[in-house]
Amino acid sequence: MPTTLADVTRVIEGLWPLAGAEAWDAPGLLAGDPAAEISAVLLAVDPVADTVAEAIDTGADLLLVHHPLLLRGVTSVAEDRYKGALLARLIRGGCALVAAHTNADVVADGTSAVLADLLGLQQPRAIEPAATGGTGLGRVGTLGEPTTLGRLARRLAEILPPTASGVRVSGDYDAPVRTVAVCGGAGDSYLAHPEVRAADAYVTADLRHHPASEAREQARLGGGPALIDVSHWASEWLWLPVAARQLTEALPGIRVTVSELRTDPWDFTVIQ
Ligand SMILES: [Zn+2]
């Protein structure tokens, strides 16, 4: 019996149930015929031209991404717009598209959990426990051995795939660090969360001037974490090998590959 796209989406929804997704999110099957036969899956963080081309060029029948391509309403899939062009390329190439986004963040071994695990955080708990199913978003835990902020940042630089922006830190290089909060992807909404405020360092991505500056100013008065800002793509890419392993276990006949293409939008940094 060939494995169909419907079989694979059932497995995907078993691993990362759609009920766990945030209300604003749009994960799940974005394109493809549920009756189509699936023999190879490519995993990537972003549905962009490079990963779509890689999926088709390597003979994948399914591109499984973290970020949904159609999160906000579109009124056209004309091919002079990139979303239409990507969908047309996928459909013509016989490649389906599925996203596992916040539903892959909340599970026990979701995006933040993988980051917490690679940092060696012990007994990690969710920053924000899940309302429906799963563990919740973000993780906070303690390091087996206390370290310093500088060494924690260097460790992150080793763990994460390389990006132009690297690892940016707000805080003292030698500040002691024991409790660490992490949130893969954009986690500025947790800057004022009590679990994050109580940590020695908070690792997340996409920290902008005002949220970061305000959190650090408040920390000077009432305590709060040092901030470590990493690449959004890199922080979530770490989840892909774990997801690939889970898919391979559930679908032993399917070839599952992780894209190594860097889809972080930044290409270079000029250090002053
Ligand atoms: Zn993300």
Side-chain angles (χ1 to χ4, degrees), residues 29 33 87 92 134 147 162 204 239 250 258:
L29 181 61
D33 177 359
L87 284 169
R92 285 197 200 102
T147 188
T204 191
W239 167 72
V258 172

Side-chain angles (χ1 to χ4, degrees), residues 45-46 66-67 101 105 111 184-186 206 232-233 235-236:
V45 172
D46 294 299
H66 185 48
H67 292 142
H101 192 211
D105 292 333
T111 45
D206 288 348
H232 186 133
W233 165 80
S235 71
E236 296 180 329

Side-chain angles (χ1 to χ4, degrees), residues 73-87:
V74 290
T75 53
S76 162
V77 288
E79 290 173 54
D80 59 351
R81 298 154 204 209
Y82 93 93
K83 293 186 180 185
L86 291 184
L87 284 169

